[in-house]
Amino acid sequence: MAQEDHFKNLVAHCKEYGYVFQSSEIYDGLSAVYDYGQYGVELKNNIKKYWWDSMVLLHENIVGIDSAIFMHPTIWKASGHVDAFNDPLIDNKDSKKRYRADVLIEDHIAKIETKIDKEVKKAGKRFGDSFDEKIFMETNPRVLANREKIDRLTSRYSKALNDNNLDEIKQIIVDNEIVCPVSGTRNWTDVRQFNLMFSTEMGSTADGSMKIFLRPETAQGIFVNFLNVQKSGRMKLPFGIAQIGKAFRNEIVARQFIFRMREFEQMEMQFFVKPGTELEWFKHWKDIRMKWHQSLGFGEENYRFHDHEKLSHYANAATDIEFKFPFGFKEVEGIHSRTDFDLTQHQKYSGKKMQYFDPETSESYVPFVVETSIGVDRMFLQIISAAYTQEEIRKSNGTTDSRVVLRLPPALAPVKLAVLPLVKKDGLPEISRKIIDDLKFDFNCQYDEKDSIGKRYRRQDAIGTPFCITIDHQTTEDNTVTIRYRDTMEQERVAIDKLKETISEKVDMRRLLRQ
Ligand code: ATP
C-alpha cells in the first residue's frame, strides 16, 4: 500500500478507536490542535512515565520540576525568543498556501535522497547476491551526480540560514525549481520572518495589564529555577533537571497530523556541567537517548542522527534523533549543547548571579548545559505509526482474513488485558468480573461480552491490547483460562492464579528501563 494511504488510514484509525480527535471538531476543528481520547491519553501517560522514570528514577543526579506556563516576559527577551524565534515563510501566489521556506528546501533534498535510494534498490535487484552497495554508491554516475547536488545545495542553504539571508533562501527555491505541492507553480512571494510565540494579556484592567507569552519551550522554566533547585536540593555538578509540560508555537505550516502542532507537550532535561566537559556529556546523552528509543523494538534501521547544518545562537553542538515516519525520516528529539548562553543571559537580564560554587576547585562559574528535548506528541506518532499494521491472516480452514493490529510495546499499551466470557451465561460473566476485580489494581483491564469472540479479538487488536483472556466452560471445571497473544494470535491455557504473574512479567515497564 502507498505510504500516503497507510498514513491516511492510520489517522482515521486514531479517530475511530479513541486515540486522537481533531480539537473542536463539531465547530469544524481548530487547525493543528488535537485532543487525545480515552486510549490516547493512556498511551501518552505511559510514554511520559517511560521518559520520566528513565530520567528521574534511574539517575540519582536528575530531579524533576513543574514550572508554570506563564512566565515573566523578560525571560523571553533574555532567551532570545522575542528577537530570534522566527521561521522564514513564503507564500505561493496561486494556491495562497503558506510554507516554511526551510522545510520546502529540506523536502527537496529528501526527494533527491529518495532518488538515490531507488537507484540502489534497483541495482540490488539487478545484481542479486554479488551486489556491493558501497562500491555502487562510490562509482555509479547517477548516484554521484545526485550526491554532489545534495552537497552543493546543503552548503548553500546552511550558509543562507546562518547569514539569515532571506533573499538567498528565496533564490535557492527559484534556482532549484521548487514548486508548490498544491498548485504545482513557482509563483512565490518573497521570504519573510515570522515570530512563533503566542501572546496574551495578564491582569484585569487595560492600563495595569502586561503582555505575556505562552511558553514556546519548557526549558526556560528550568533555567530560571536552576539556583532554587541546586540550593534546595544541595545538588552537585554534574546534575540535571527534568520537566514535562505544554508548549505553544504559532506554527506556520501545521501538517502531518500531530507531528507539528500549535499546542504540544515537551519532555526536556537540562544537564548542568562544568565548562569544558560539555562535549563529552553531549556524546553521553546522544548514546543514552538513542538507546531509549531503540529499546522499544521498532528496528534500529528506523533511527538516525542528523547533525544540525545551522547551529542555534546558543549552541556549540546539536543533533536530532530522527525516526522513519510514513512520510520519511523526521526529527523526534533534539540534543543540544547550549553552552552557558541561557544562564548568562538570565544573569544579565535579572541582575541575579546564576553561578555555581564548585567545592572541589573553590571557584564560582556559570555551568554549561546539555539538553535533551523531545515532543510527547511526536513520540506518540512515532509509536503509533510503527505499531499500526494491516495484515492478511490465514485461518485454520484455509481461507484468508485481514486484521488491523496496533503492535504497541506491552508496557506502553493503554489496555493491558481484556477479559472475555465466551458466552453471556452459565456463570462465565461472573467469573470474568471476579478476575477483573482481582487484576484491576495492577493493570488497565477491559471487559467485553458483546459479539462473537472473533470480533472481540479484532476490537482488542485494533486498540493494541496485548492479551485477551477468554473464560469458557472448562474454566468452571478446572479454574483455567486461555490467554491469546495479540502479535502471534497464539493461545495458551493457564491457571487463573497464574495470570497476574504471567502478565506482569510481560507488561512491566522495568523491562524496558533495564535495557
Ligand atoms: P522542528 O524543526 O520540527 O520545528 P525544532 O527543532 O524547532 O523542531 P525543538 O525546538 O528542538 O524543535 O523542540 C524539541 C522537540 O519538541 C522536537 O524534537 C519535537 O519533538 C517537539 N516539537 C517541537 N515543535 C513541535 C510542534 N510544533 N509540534 C509537536 N512537537 C514539537
Side-chain angles (χ1 to χ4, degrees):
M1 183 188 314
Q3 289 290 25
E4 224 167 87
D5 290 338
H6 180 81
F7 191 58
K8 267 194 202 144
N9 291 342
L10 166 68
V11 175
H13 187 89
C14 281
K15 181 180 170 189
E16 188 182 346
Y17 287 93
Y19 271 88
V20 183
F21 307 126
Q22 173 71 61
S23 158
S24 321
E25 194 187 334
I26 57 167
Y27 290 96
D28 295 336
L30 188 64
S31 164
V33 186
Y34 289 90
D35 299 335
Y36 287 85
Q38 64 276 28
Y39 299 123
V41 68
E42 297 286 346
L43 174 58
K44 210 172 169 215
N45 285 342
N46 292 341
I47 294 170
K48 290 194 260 186
K49 181 166 167 50
Y50 177 40
W51 184 86
W52 187 266
D53 286 357
S54 76
M55 289 291 178
V56 179
L57 198 67
L58 297 192
H59 292 94
E60 260 177 58
N61 59 348
I62 299 181
V63 292
I65 63 164
D66 182 20
S67 71
I69 288 172
F70 293 151
M71 291 194 269
H72 196 285
T74 310
I75 288 174
W76 305 111
K77 197 77 195 137
S79 68
H81 283 83
V82 171
D83 298 321
F85 193 53
N86 298 317
D87 275 344
L89 69 87
I90 190 166
D91 293 83
N92 182 273
K93 292 182 197 161
D94 298 321
S95 67
K96 308 270 182 284
K97 291 274 174 211
R98 180 162 286 178
Y99 299 92
R100 258 174 67 177
D102 54 335
V103 172
L104 279 180
I105 297 172
E106 278 166 18
D107 285 353
H108 184 69
I109 294 174
K111 265 191 203 144
I112 309 177
E113 271 169 356
T114 312
K115 277 190 193 159
I116 297 180
D117 285 349
K118 276 193 185 145
E119 206 74 60
V120 173
K121 269 204 193 111
K122 222 167 66 189
K125 265 195 198 143
R126 189 154 20 104
F127 295 113
D129 288 346
S130 62
F131 181 60
D132 185 327
E133 184 173 327
K134 191 162 171 285
I135 294 184
F136 181 79
M137 295 282 279
E138 284 167 4
T139 54
N140 179 276
R142 277 189 302 272
V143 169
L144 289 176
N146 277 328
R147 218 355 77 231
E148 200 202 321
K149 219 190 246 176
I150 292 176
D151 292 345
R152 237 183 305 125
L153 180 54
T154 308
S155 84
R156 185 176 169 196
Y157 159 61
S158 74
K159 183 168 180 333
L161 279 181
N162 274 319
D163 298 347
N164 224 350
N165 186 342
L166 301 182
D167 292 341
E168 172 68 353
I169 293 176
K170 166 148 187 205
Q171 202 52 47
I172 294 174
I173 292 175
V174 172
D175 291 350
N176 285 277
E177 303 181 346
I178 298 175
V179 297
C180 164
V182 175
S183 67
T185 70
R186 287 182 242 148
N187 195 5
W188 297 110
T189 62
D190 287 341
V191 177
R192 282 167 297 142
Q193 292 285 23
F194 176 79
N195 192 289
L196 298 180
M197 279 198 294
F198 284 101
S199 64
T200 185
E201 303 276 314
M202 182 177 259
S204 54
T205 57
D207 48 340
S209 70
M210 171 161 73
K211 179 181 176 188
I212 55 164
F213 297 101
L214 271 70
R215 66 179 176 199
E217 62 176 27
T218 56
Q220 297 305 324
I222 290 179
F223 290 124
V224 298
N225 277 300
F226 159 71
L227 277 186
N228 284 337
V229 174
Q230 192 269 318
K231 293 208 164 116
S232 60
R234 296 184 298 124
M235 308 298 289
K236 293 215 169 26
L237 246 51
F239 75 91
I241 305 179
Q243 167 158 237
I244 300 179
K246 288 268 176 142
F248 305 83
R249 296 183 188 178
N250 197 2
E251 297 281 3
I252 304 164
V253 190
R255 45 172 201 171
Q256 283 148 349
F257 193 35
I258 55 171
F259 182 82
R260 192 173 298 288
M261 302 155 87
R262 296 202 164 105
E263 173 179 340
F264 58 101
E265 212 165 354
Q266 288 187 313
M267 308 188 279
E268 297 200 291
M269 193 278 296
Q270 269 64 37
F271 200 69
F272 299 88
V273 303
K274 194 172 174 172
T277 64
E278 72 277 8
L279 294 180
E280 273 164 57
W281 284 110
F282 175 70
K283 187 178 169 313
H284 173 83
W285 282 108
K286 266 177 77 169
D287 294 345
I288 292 200
R289 294 305 303 148
M290 188 55 109
K291 277 199 193 112
W292 184 88
H293 285 275
Q294 293 184 342
S295 298
L296 294 176
F298 295 132
E300 292 186 9
E301 69 285 2
N302 291 321
Y303 298 86
R304 70 179 187 195
F305 286 113
H306 172 246
D307 296 332
H308 284 201
E309 302 301 336
K310 182 197 175 191
L311 288 177
S312 300
H313 55 283
Y314 52 74
N316 69 359
T319 195
D320 296 333
I321 293 179
E322 294 188 337
F323 177 74
K324 197 170 181 191
F325 286 97
F327 40 84
F329 271 103
K330 295 276 177 210
E331 167 180 349
V332 188
E333 169 157 8
I335 299 160
H336 312 125
S337 173
R338 283 178 88 126
T339 67
D340 58 353
F341 176 83
D342 302 86
L343 290 180
T344 306
Q345 285 292 98
H346 289 306
Q347 186 165 270
K348 190 165 125 200
Y349 278 79
S350 69
K352 308 274 175 1
K353 271 209 157 58
M354 300 297 273
Q355 297 190 348
Y356 171 75
F357 176 75
D358 189 332
E360 280 172 23
T361 59
S362 298
E363 292 170 282
S364 288
Y365 50 78
V366 178
F368 271 43
V369 173
V370 174
E371 78 171 358
T372 71
S373 171
I374 170 171
V376 180
D377 314 85
R378 238 176 241 190
M379 189 62 204
F380 186 109
L381 186 59
Q382 178 198 132
I383 291 171
I384 205 119
S385 55
Y388 178 78
T389 322
Q390 290 171 301
E391 59 183 31
E392 290 287 313
I393 44 178
R394 188 163 281 280
K395 296 211 288 201
S396 50
N397 64 8
T399 58
T400 54
D401 196 0
S402 65
R403 70 166 182 160
V404 174
V405 53
L406 287 186
R407 293 175 179 274
L408 296 168
L412 301 184
V415 180
K416 304 297 187 212
L417 74 149
V419 181
L420 317 171
L422 192 62
V423 289
K424 271 191 261 181
K425 54 183 186 184
D426 306 334
L428 304 190
E430 289 73 15
I431 301 176
S432 304
R433 293 279 184 203
K434 223 170 136 267
I435 292 176
I436 290 189
D437 279 344
D438 185 34
L439 295 182
K440 70 183 176 195
F441 296 94
D442 297 281
F443 317 113
N444 193 339
C445 307
Q446 207 170 70
Y447 175 81
D448 191 2
E449 61 176 23
K450 196 167 175 288
D451 299 324
S452 72
I453 196 77
K455 272 196 184 153
R456 284 182 270 168
Y457 284 154
R458 290 289 176 278
R459 271 204 292 270
Q460 295 302 328
D461 288 344
I463 60 171
T465 308
F467 310 104
C468 286
I469 312 296
T470 308
I471 317 303
D472 54 20
H473 291 99
Q474 192 182 327
T475 311
T476 58
E477 290 157 21
D478 64 5
N479 278 325
T480 64
V481 295
T482 56
I483 295 192
R484 181 242 191 207
Y485 297 96
R486 175 195 69 198
D487 295 344
T488 59
M489 293 186 289
E490 271 163 21
Q491 302 195 13
E492 192 186 357
R493 195 113 209 144
V494 294
I496 290 178
D497 55 13
K498 284 270 173 296
L499 273 179
K500 193 190 289 187
E501 191 186 316
T502 313
I503 292 167
S504 289
E505 193 221 321
K506 298 194 165 78
V507 302
D508 195 342
M509 199 170 288
R510 280 175 292 193
R511 276 181 85 184
L512 272 183
L513 293 169
R514 284 216 173 86
Q515 289 176 39

